[in-house]
Amino acid sequence: MTIDTAEDSLAIADMTLAAPCGAVIVPGWQTMPGAVGVEALCLLTAEGTRQRLFVLGVDAESPRAFWLDCGLRLGRMIADTAALTLDLRSVAGLQPDAAAALCEGIALGGFRPQTIFSPALRLILSGDADRDAHRATIETALVIARWTNWARELVERPAGELRPDDLAQEIAGRAAELGIAVEIWGETRMEAEGFGATLGVGRGSDAAPCVVVLRHGAGPMPLGLAGKGVTFDTGGLNLKRDVEEIGYMKSDMAGAAAVAGALFAAVATKGAPDVIAVLPMVENMPSGRALRPGDRVRHPDKTTTEVIDTDCEGRLLLADALSWLARQKVRALIDVGTLSDGGGVGAELWGLWSNTPALAERLTQAGALSGDPGWHLPLRHERDTLLASRIADRRNTRVGEPDTGQVAACYLAQFAGGTPWAHIDNGSNAWLLRETGAWPEGATGAPLRALASFLCDEK
């Protein structure tokens, strides 16, 4: 990345600096798009070459989300381009965070599955801009975008190429590069640690389940993170019948990818607190060995769950992780998983439930600031009796009524005990079925950027 400054005002002749393509903000330009717009134009130079010019509909007063949105749209339009000049001299009082959001959006917008896209960026700022502040803020944003795209690539990968051990090895390898301590537990260790629910869910597949444990820092009260890592979810014996839904169930490990990626981004930017992250990984498949409706599974805290629906498997994995983490004397617990539609919040948000309003507020604020927003939803007052069972300490869902994100949250709340806890359901926006706003169809990485922002602020 190159950052230049110039005293002269922007002139139409300067647009030729944007070779092979460029983005500018032009006051009064007759084709200036509306708010958060990107308009593409073509220029013919004196040498007869064709260049592309993109006009951005933002200014210094635009919120960070607008700059990010413009960057996403621009990144999607230039994914075949090796270099990009961003001429921002006309933006009086441009803040580093706005420029960083634009660059982050470009990196996110240029994502293509199994394709590395990293255009050479050149920024031209006004002469009075603080280049060092802009550089530091932009470099941090690009690190977060890089790890977000890493998680998106994992979610996009076909399930036949990313089974539980494959995902575990990928995460372990990245952790080792960053100096993060990592363990991969096989079935014997999982049995010893009490991960009976995870073992039960994974029993139906010929791919063995595993658990990845990441540790950063050595403080006495780390933050506990958990992420659902179901590399493919058929529903088990309660087989999914929706062809569209089962078609994107390779994305059911998006929670584990987001948690790992957020930790990696925070460590890479030197902002991570002490963390223990637990990522259970399975395939949920039907077979003669598969978990049956009515079976009973045991968790690390010695409590049990009656399995009413084998398609409500993600919460069983997270329950094992939460109950194990709660015994590690963590200061707070945050779990992430694609358990439902996120509580019905829509495709642009993730849903959040918590037993601690202050923790929920910090997470939603981190989401808003990072352009990865979520919505805080209430737990039901009768959550302790909502899932009563005659043969276990609880059921994994209600009998005779549709399962919801709220029911899943009420189930998981029972494993937090008195520890501050928050549950993020990214089933609403970790995978988009169609283009939504500036985002294309497919994996988004949500809520990785929100969680990374939270972690960097937690230290």
Side-chain angles (χ1 to χ4, degrees):
M1 178 183 64
T2 302
I3 299 181
D4 297 323
T5 55
E7 297 292 347
D8 56 318
S9 60
L10 184 69
I12 300 301
D14 289 328
M15 294 174 187
T16 57
L17 291 172
C21 67
V24 296
I25 295 180
V26 186
W29 183 254
Q30 64 178 355
T31 58
M32 186 72 170
V36 203
V38 178
E39 181 132 351
L41 307 171
C42 288
L43 296 176
L44 191 64
T45 68
E47 293 77 21
T49 59
R50 176 179 174 273
Q51 296 177 339
R52 285 187 295 170
L53 172 70
F54 301 92
V55 186
L56 310 183
V58 283
D59 57 30
E61 302 302 317
S62 299
R64 186 184 191 278
F66 282 19
W67 286 87
L68 179 70
D69 196 288
C70 267
L72 274 161
R73 297 176 191 275
L74 182 57
R76 293 177 63 187
M77 298 169 76
I78 63 160
D80 59 342
T81 301
L84 174 69
T85 296
L86 300 170
D87 196 331
L88 307 177
R89 282 175 289 170
S90 66
V91 188
L94 175 67
Q95 296 300 307
D97 194 50
L102 179 64
C103 294
E104 181 180 337
I106 291 168
L108 294 171
F111 170 79
R112 300 292 185 277
Q114 298 185 308
T115 301
I116 297 174
F117 171 68
S118 183
L121 289 178
R122 179 190 179 206
L123 271 70
I124 305 176
L125 306 175
S126 61
D128 59 353
D130 186 336
R131 286 201 295 179
D132 289 339
H134 276 80
R135 180 180 300 278
T137 307
I138 291 169
E139 286 178 349
T140 296
L142 291 177
V143 168
I144 292 172
R146 175 198 166 200
W147 286 109
T148 302
N149 286 342
W150 169 81
R152 294 168 76 190
E153 197 281 322
L154 287 178
V155 175
E156 292 275 4
R157 199 177 298 180
E161 300 174 14
L162 193 73
R163 305 191 82 181
D165 183 64
D166 300 317
L167 179 57
Q169 294 297 335
E170 169 72 21
I171 290 174
R174 298 292 184 166
E177 292 171 3
L178 292 165
I180 299 170
V182 59
E183 299 174 12
I184 300 178
W185 297 351
E187 292 174 281
T188 301
R189 179 67 182 275
M190 292 167 65
E191 182 80 34
E193 298 290 345
F195 279 62
T198 304
L199 287 166
V201 173
R203 203 166 64 207
S205 173
D206 61 0
C210 60
V211 174
V212 175
V213 180
L214 304 172
R215 299 176 190 267
H216 175 72
M221 292 191 69
L223 179 68
L225 304 178
K228 172 187 172 184
V230 179
T231 60
F232 192 73
D233 180 21
T234 67
L237 291 180
N238 290 109
L239 192 67
K240 295 179 184 293
R241 290 169 174 80
D242 186 320
V243 174
E244 184 177 51
E245 181 187 10
I246 202 170
Y248 62 84
M249 279 299 104
K250 65 180 185 179
S251 68
D252 218 22
M253 38 61 69
V259 168
L263 176 58
F264 296 165
V267 171
T269 58
K270 313 299 182 186
D274 294 337
V275 168
I276 301 178
V278 177
L279 312 173
M281 299 175 185
V282 302
E283 282 185 334
N284 186 21
M285 305 288 280
S287 76
R289 302 186 309 273
L291 193 66
R292 301 165 179 82
D295 279 356
R296 181 170 52 201
V297 294
R298 189 174 300 275
H299 306 285
D301 62 2
K302 310 301 183 186
T303 66
T304 56
T305 293
E306 179 187 2
V307 179
I308 299 300
D309 187 342
T310 63
D311 196 22
C312 296
E313 86 297 335
R315 70 200 65 177
L316 297 174
L317 274 62
L318 292 175
D320 276 354
L322 289 172
S323 58
W324 186 86
L325 282 166
R327 296 189 300 157
Q328 310 306 308
K329 298 181 180 178
V330 295
R331 64 175 178 265
L333 290 163
I334 301 170
D335 72 77
V336 182
T338 48
L339 302 192
S340 72
D341 63 352
V345 294
E348 295 183 343
L349 302 165
W350 37 264
L352 169 70
W353 293 262
S354 179
N355 63 4
T356 307
L359 177 60
E361 173 63 24
R362 290 186 56 213
L363 282 165
T364 52
Q365 185 176 35
L369 291 173
S370 63
D372 188 7
W375 196 266
H376 183 197
L377 297 159
L379 288 165
R380 289 172 65 163
H381 293 300
E382 73 275 29
R383 59 183 178 272
D384 293 331
T385 59
L386 183 70
L387 298 168
S389 167
R390 293 187 296 108
I391 65 166
D393 293 291
R394 62 190 70 80
R395 292 169 166 169
N396 73 331
T397 190
R398 296 273 283 170
V399 176
E401 67 177 60
D403 186 60
T404 65
Q406 188 182 59
V407 170
C410 289
Y411 171 80
L412 291 172
Q414 299 180 36
F415 295 91
T419 305
W421 157 82
H423 163 59
I424 293 175
D425 188 335
N426 60 336
S428 51
N429 67 343
W431 182 272
L432 300 177
L433 292 173
R434 55 195 59 83
E435 182 174 330
T436 302
W439 289 88
E441 173 190 350
T444 66
L448 187 154
R449 291 177 297 126
L451 193 54
S453 176
F454 174 87
L455 291 175
C456 291
D457 188 56
E458 177 74 4
K459 190 173 184 180

